[in-house]
Amino acid sequence: MANESQSRDMQVKGKQEVAGAAEQTRPGRVFIPPVDISEDENVITLLADMPGVAPNDVNIDVRENTLTLSGEIKPFEGAEETDILVEYDTGQYYRQFTLPELVDQDKIDAQLKDGVLTLVLPKAEAAKPKKIEIKNN
Amino acid sequence: MITRRLFDFPDFGWRNSFEEMERMRRYLDQVLGQSEAGLRIPAAGVFPLVNLTETKENYMLRAELPGVTAQDLDIQTTGRNITISGERKIEPDPNVRYHRREREPGRFSRAMTLPGDIDREKIEASLENGVLTITIPKSEKARPRQITIKS
């Protein structure tokens, strides 16, 4: 099945904008980055597409059980450039998640490569599943 | 694979109508105080979406390709046409449980016709933070030339 999905032609998906103008304090548009979230016994892994964001301009915040991702982009276009065709808009990225389990906040690992943010959130000891042995008497 | 051509318009006069529409759209947004989300239809429904700008010397073509490496990209030109094709690879990890799968893998190919003649020898492409930028120099005869008025 993995190979099947790999060979598919990509479809155009418009960027989704954050709903509600009340959230913004700065002008400009704010988009929701698409994410993959996976989980195993020890970590929750989050991958987010944030094209155009430099590694220093991404902000990750975990407070209690809310994870906030935001990324800023700098304008790409030089001052002398005039638009001929605009198919996509650029703007900030913003997305919040409620984490289902306790996360060890000191050990969060973030990496931004080729416009993809990889966030590894280790689960806190208390949140890891413990196997309970059934004793036979 | 679907490829669609843009700019199959006559060279003369079409650009102004685009600019006019864009200006009108911005004006309406201002008046209505709304964003244009949902109102805009991509000019060509082929991945990747591109933005094209120009300076006096160059065309600048940009596309957002997060997670695509230079090895996975193929850029070719013939005449005024430029083709961007490649594949975005996302290997699913069989050992984990997925909660969300919003990022899509797949192949893509897009062909475009530029509005003017280009110097194919000097095209440069860079991939930075998931954004592909192709700098396409205009050919000598397509560059604007200043004309001095003799008195």
Side-chain angles (χ1 to χ4, degrees):
Chain A
M1 220 179 92
N3 285 330
E4 221 169 80
S5 67
Q6 292 291 309
S7 60
R8 225 176 21 199
D9 285 351
M10 288 188 73
Q11 303 298 311
V12 169
K13 270 211 265 178
K15 281 186 178 175
Q16 253 189 303
E17 244 180 306
V18 171
E23 289 183 341
Q24 290 181 53
T25 52
R26 271 176 300 178
R29 303 180 64 180
V30 184
F31 296 101
I32 302 169
V35 296
D36 280 355
I37 301 175
S38 63
E39 183 181 347
D40 68 9
E41 279 175 23
N42 302 314
V43 294
I44 296 168
T45 310
L46 185 146
L47 291 134
D49 286 346
M50 296 172 132
V53 179
N56 293 332
D57 295 332
V58 73
N59 212 326
I60 299 143
D61 185 84
V62 184
R63 229 162 271 181
E64 295 188 11
N65 60 350
T66 305
L67 169 71
T68 309
L69 305 178
S70 58
E72 276 181 46
I73 64 158
K74 296 197 175 85
F76 302 101
E77 297 187 5
E80 319 172 325
E81 292 180 36
T82 47
D83 289 339
I84 300 178
L85 174 78
V86 182
E87 286 186 348
Y88 67 86
D89 290 299
T90 52
Q92 318 302 324
Y93 295 96
Y94 183 87
R95 195 158 175 180
Q96 271 191 330
F97 296 96
T98 304
L99 297 169
E101 281 161 289
L102 290 170
V103 160
D104 197 337
Q105 298 191 17
D106 301 329
K107 289 181 191 155
I108 293 172
D109 185 47
Q111 209 191 86
L112 188 69
K113 195 171 166 273
D114 301 327
V116 180
L117 175 75
T118 306
L119 204 61
V120 179
L121 307 150
K123 290 183 191 173
E125 276 307 316
K128 285 185 191 172
K130 264 193 200 97
K131 199 173 177 184
I132 294 155
E133 298 281 340
I134 299 162
K135 281 177 191 164
N136 272 333
N137 283 330
Chain B
M1 201 165 290
I2 317 156
T3 52
R4 213 176 288 176
R5 258 155 228 268
L6 283 182
F7 304 119
D8 282 343
F9 309 98
D11 273 6
F12 179 72
W14 59 270
R15 213 184 104 200
N16 284 334
S17 63
F18 269 104
E19 276 177 3
E20 199 60 44
M21 269 166 65
E22 183 68 12
R23 204 175 306 131
M24 201 162 84
R25 189 178 66 79
R26 293 228 164 100
Y27 174 71
L28 279 173
D29 288 345
Q30 261 178 13
V31 172
L32 301 172
Q34 287 172 347
S35 84
E36 70 269 41
L39 275 178
R40 265 174 91 193
I41 303 152
V46 181
F47 188 92
L49 295 181
V50 296
N51 281 356
L52 183 68
T53 62
E54 66 172 343
T55 61
K56 276 180 187 160
E57 295 86 28
N58 300 311
Y59 291 111
M60 309 286 282
L61 189 68
R62 292 187 179 84
E64 292 187 332
L65 297 166
V68 177
T69 57
Q71 289 84 36
D72 299 328
L73 264 179
D74 182 40
I75 302 159
Q76 296 201 5
T77 56
T78 43
R80 279 186 188 182
N81 303 318
I82 187 154
T83 309
I84 306 166
S85 52
E87 186 173 359
R88 187 179 186 212
K89 293 171 185 160
I90 299 171
E91 293 292 336
D93 187 343
N95 303 319
V96 297
R97 201 163 75 236
Y98 278 95
H99 296 307
R100 280 170 194 262
R101 295 287 296 273
E102 296 170 358
R103 301 165 65 244
E104 270 187 86
R107 286 179 296 135
F108 54 86
S109 179
R110 171 128 191 220
M112 275 152 294
T113 306
L114 291 159
D117 284 333
I118 56 173
D119 185 354
R120 291 200 290 140
E121 303 302 313
K122 293 190 188 120
I123 296 176
E124 278 174 30
S126 70
L127 197 57
E128 203 185 335
N129 297 324
V131 179
L132 173 71
T133 305
I134 308 176
T135 309
I136 308 155
K138 292 179 181 177
S139 74
E140 204 50 55
K141 62 175 186 190
R143 291 185 191 181
R145 202 151 285 153
Q146 180 116 34
I147 293 156
T148 43
I149 302 162
K150 287 177 191 163
S151 54

